Amino acid sequence: MNRKALFVSVVLNLMLATAVLTAAAQAPQSAKPAAQPVAIPFELVTKHIVLKVSVNNSRPLSFVFDTGDKYAVIDLNRAKELGLDLHGQVRLGGAGAETSTGFFVRDSSFTIPGLPGFSQPVRLALPIGTLALRFGQDLDGIIGTDFIKEFVVEIDYQARMMRLHNKNKFTYTGRGAVIPIQLDSAGHPTIEAEVTPIGSAPIKGKFVMDLGSGAALALYSPFVRQQQLLGPHLRTIKMLGAGGAGGQITGQIGRVSQLQIGEFSISSPITLFSEDKAGAFASSALLGNIGAQIMSKFRVWLDYDRERVILEPNETFAKPFDRAYSGLAIQAEGKDYRTFRITDVLENSPASAAGLQKDDIITAVDGQQAAELTLTKLGEMLERSTTYKLSVRRGEQTLVVKLTPARLV
């Protein structure tokens, strides 16, 4: 999740670090890549790439594919359910200011259906399952840089398909552009880009390319303060309901005039102006984070061996960022994640005008019952400026309200 990005600090002693290195040396190696690319389908869940993975021959689990992560990580509760060998302790931080405790994993590996002969170690067990409420489905783990380095990984957002190319034989012949990258000390790809704030000159700097972020563009709080990007000149709304491995993210949602990545200009992208005091989005080492809402405008090739990514615009590239906002933060609860609870309401928004309140439960939208929806589907609906009839349960009452999301920034 960017440095949501599971930065991990080892707790206590050198003996533990030695044990980790020994385990890594003995870990099972990945199979030799196939001569032809292997196609692996994926789901887009709240704008995140989710793959089916098995750990130690388990039932299929849902793992997020995240360029902001290095090691294969499994949710701590899922690791305990599967009886994995946990030892030592690690501290987890990331987007948000909080930290939490996890464990190293010993003698466990993951495999991917449709990729015969492949396995890689699962390194860490961390309490990431709580993010499932924001995904609307189980979140069992994360895979990132260690997996990506085995291949040239092609991401086709429109086809919902990942293709894994033999990195030693890969040749690109398309119409895309090559963008140099550097892998930072945590294994995250950083690129040079140029952002043009509204009313200001372009500013060049380094950004994390974070396919594990469901946002478009995030500017980190030291950069926001240094450039005085927040003020009465900029139309913004409060960020609601966002967070990562380090808890809640604070900031304002607005726009910049332009983001330039190589030869590609992205006009007026929706932008988070971070106000975090700690965590990844308070980093002064980078200007910010480029997430999936921008990267999904391309077919993307991740070629870490050659220190490059290749971006090929798809048919959505020219579409503007014209999403509407309801003013609601919603999480999915219950065994089947079909209980949609309002966790926050933005002041002076379509939701507040409709009289919606925190802890209201959305039971139906235009007559379609909550059991027939997912959090991803509900979120997509509420990004359109259409009038919806919501059935809402408030305590013992059942209410019907009309809600029309609007473009607020």
Side-chain angles (χ1 to χ4, degrees):
M1 307 175 143
N2 162 21
R3 330 177 150 211
K4 171 169 68 185
L6 304 169
F7 71 74
V8 178
S9 46
V10 178
V11 179
L12 290 180
N13 58 50
L14 181 59
M15 291 178 62
L16 180 56
T18 302
V20 175
L21 293 174
T22 301
Q26 295 174 348
Q29 299 299 309
S30 302
K32 183 178 179 180
Q36 299 297 320
V38 177
I40 307 293
F42 63 80
E43 293 182 85
L44 269 184
V45 179
T46 63
K47 302 181 174 67
H48 296 78
I49 295 171
V50 175
L51 299 169
K52 289 303 179 185
V53 166
S54 291
V55 175
N56 291 359
N57 298 313
S58 71
R59 61 180 172 80
L61 304 174
S62 296
F63 273 47
V64 173
F65 176 82
D66 185 0
T67 56
D69 166 61
K70 178 170 172 54
Y71 304 106
V73 176
I74 188 168
D75 172 56
L76 182 57
N77 286 336
R78 195 67 66 235
K80 291 177 179 178
E81 173 195 313
L82 297 176
L84 303 190
D85 184 359
L86 307 180
H87 68 108
Q89 284 191 348
V90 294
R91 294 295 294 175
L92 163 69
E98 301 171 10
T99 61
S100 55
T101 301
F103 297 88
F104 291 104
V105 178
R106 192 157 39 198
D107 299 327
S108 294
S109 60
F110 73 91
T111 56
I112 296 179
L115 191 58
F118 172 87
S119 69
Q120 266 192 339
V122 176
R123 302 287 194 192
L124 301 169
L126 301 169
I128 59 174
T130 54
L131 296 174
L133 299 178
R134 297 189 185 119
F135 275 68
Q137 68 166 62
D138 286 339
L139 173 58
D140 299 308
I142 306 167
I143 56 174
T145 296
D146 282 358
F147 173 74
I148 297 167
K149 282 183 172 179
E150 293 295 318
F151 311 94
V152 172
V153 178
E154 176 187 349
I155 307 294
D156 186 342
Y157 279 95
Q158 289 187 290
R160 305 291 194 269
M161 190 67 66
M162 176 183 293
R163 297 179 181 88
L164 304 175
H165 298 262
N166 185 322
K167 64 182 180 180
N168 299 317
K169 298 181 178 180
F170 175 76
T171 301
Y172 178 74
T173 58
R175 57 186 177 83
V178 173
I179 308 295
I181 64 169
Q182 290 182 324
L183 296 181
D184 67 15
S185 59
H188 312 139
T190 64
I191 64 174
E192 293 283 343
E194 183 179 87
V195 63
T196 305
I198 291 174
S200 300
I203 303 168
K204 292 183 178 180
K206 285 189 176 182
F207 294 77
V208 169
M209 193 185 79
D210 188 4
L211 272 62
S213 165
L217 175 66
L219 300 179
Y220 293 168
S221 53
F223 176 63
V224 171
R225 289 194 301 270
Q226 179 188 31
Q227 299 296 323
Q228 299 180 355
L229 300 183
L230 289 175
H233 65 285
L234 183 67
R235 184 180 181 186
T236 64
I237 59 174
K238 179 184 176 183
M239 161 70 82
L240 293 184
Q248 289 289 117
I249 297 169
T250 59
Q252 301 291 318
I253 297 293
R255 293 178 185 262
V256 296
S257 291
Q258 183 172 279
L259 177 69
Q260 188 79 25
I261 306 173
E263 66 186 54
F264 302 114
S265 298
I266 295 97
S267 296
S268 197
I270 293 170
T271 302
L272 166 63
F273 297 84
S274 172
E275 296 176 307
D276 280 357
K277 299 294 192 297
F281 283 21
S283 169
S284 59
L286 301 162
L287 300 194
N289 174 305
I290 299 171
Q293 289 188 45
I294 286 176
M295 301 315 298
S296 64
K297 290 179 170 289
F298 302 91
R299 184 180 290 192
V300 180
W301 284 261
L302 304 170
D303 188 355
Y304 283 6
D305 265 20
R306 298 176 179 88
E307 296 185 322
R308 64 178 185 171
V309 297
I310 301 168
L311 302 180
E312 185 178 292
N314 60 36
E315 65 183 31
T316 71
F317 179 77
K319 291 183 178 179
F321 289 90
D322 60 355
R323 63 155 290 184
Y325 286 87
S326 65
L328 293 175
I330 302 170
Q331 69 181 24
E333 302 174 354
K335 185 177 180 180
D336 59 359
Y337 298 101
R338 294 298 190 273
T339 299
F340 301 117
R341 181 183 299 275
I342 295 173
T343 59
D344 206 351
V345 178
L346 183 69
E347 293 182 2
N348 302 315
S349 70
S352 62
L356 291 164
Q357 298 179 10
K358 182 179 178 181
D359 287 326
D360 285 350
I361 303 295
I362 299 173
T363 58
V365 181
D366 287 345
Q368 187 174 12
Q369 298 301 304
E372 301 170 8
L373 297 169
T374 64
L375 188 61
T376 296
K377 178 63 177 176
L378 180 59
E380 290 172 349
M381 294 169 70
L382 297 181
E383 289 180 0
R384 297 193 290 267
S385 188
T386 300
T387 299
Y388 298 99
K389 185 171 70 174
L390 271 58
S391 298
V392 173
R393 187 173 72 245
R394 181 181 298 164
E396 300 299 319
Q397 294 180 290
T398 298
L399 310 173
V400 177
V401 302
K402 289 186 177 181
L403 174 66
T404 307
R407 177 169 168 168
L408 301 180
V409 295

